[in-house]
Amino acid sequence: DIQMTQSPASLSVSVGETVTITCRASENIYSNLAWYQQKQGKSPQLLVYAATNLADGVPSRFSGSGSGTQYSLKINSLQSEDFGSYYCQHFWGTPWTFGGGTKLEIK
Amino acid sequence: QVQLKESGPGLVAPSQSLSITCTVSGFSLTDYGVSWIRQPPGKGLEWLGVIWGGGSTYYNSALKSRLSISKDNSKSQVFLKMNSLQTDDTAMYYCAKHERGYDYFDYWGQGTTLTVSS
């Protein structure tokens, strides 16, 4: 199984700051990576697919990058509605696995 | 619009079986795959299995012997059945729709909570 290692596990940031979350796969996943946002008590929502493509309705302050085994999600100028947890997921063969998550908290 | 909604028993005793239903609208189960994903309290996400539009299924090998996914296209329902439940199966269970031709999840249900306890 492909292991997804996500970092950091948690991050305390202020509104307006820029943050980067990273996800490392245990083998090359050829950009078959998605990012999800999950707010407290809600189901995850798709943010980015195929490593760099924003899902419909996702603000342009979000961006995804990476290739091979290393991927990143960047959020420019954090807004209050961006706080919550973020997960990466590979879709290069089953079982599809998720990173452990990054919890963004307000400083 | 696309919607998925899970319904389940809420509480199940250890060693018993579970059946959860995902009722979808806004798309046809014959055209899209639907996966089941769970999340234990305060923890991360675990993919359980998928049923494709044609009816074929794939399961997480870690749980394969205990899982069964089926569907009724005419009723727009997908079913998850899991047997031999233990306390560590306590989790929120989500169904999620696949984007056509891809293996990521573009729409998720609200989830249904399962507690395994005597």
Side-chain angles (χ1 to χ4, degrees), chain A residues 29-93:
Chain A
I29 56 171
Y30 302 95
S31 296
N32 287 277
L33 184 96
W35 290 96
Y36 302 89
Q37 177 192 61
Q38 185 178 33
K39 297 184 181 179
Q40 186 67 31
K42 301 293 186 181
S43 56
Q45 289 192 303
L46 178 67
L47 288 176
V48 174
Y49 63 93
T52 62
N53 297 282
L54 291 186
D56 290 345
V58 175
S60 59
R61 63 180 179 272
F62 290 87
S63 62
S65 64
S67 62
T69 62
Q70 300 275 4
Y71 299 86
S72 297
L73 176 71
K74 184 177 181 181
I75 313 172
N76 288 310
S77 188
L78 268 167
Q79 303 299 301
S80 57
E81 61 265 30
D82 299 335
F83 291 93
S85 294
Y86 292 81
Y87 295 90
C88 61
Q89 175 235 333
H90 87 81
F91 49 99
W92 181 246

Side-chain angles (χ1 to χ4, degrees), chain A residues 1 34 36 38 41-46 49-50 87 89-91 93-100, chain B residues 35 37 39 43-47 50 52 58 60-61 94 98 102-106 108-111:
Chain A
D1 298 359
Y36 302 89
Q38 185 178 33
K42 301 293 186 181
S43 56
Q45 289 192 303
L46 178 67
Y49 63 93
Y87 295 90
Q89 175 235 333
H90 87 81
F91 49 99
T94 54
W96 305 306
T97 53
F98 294 84
Chain B
S35 272
I37 297 148
Q39 184 173 35
K43 296 188 177 181
L45 300 159
E46 179 182 31
W47 173 75
V50 61
W52 295 112
Y58 286 94
N60 187 325
S61 56
Y94 297 102
H98 285 246
Y102 292 94
D103 297 332
Y104 59 84
F105 316 110
D106 58 353
W108 297 61
Q110 65 190 22

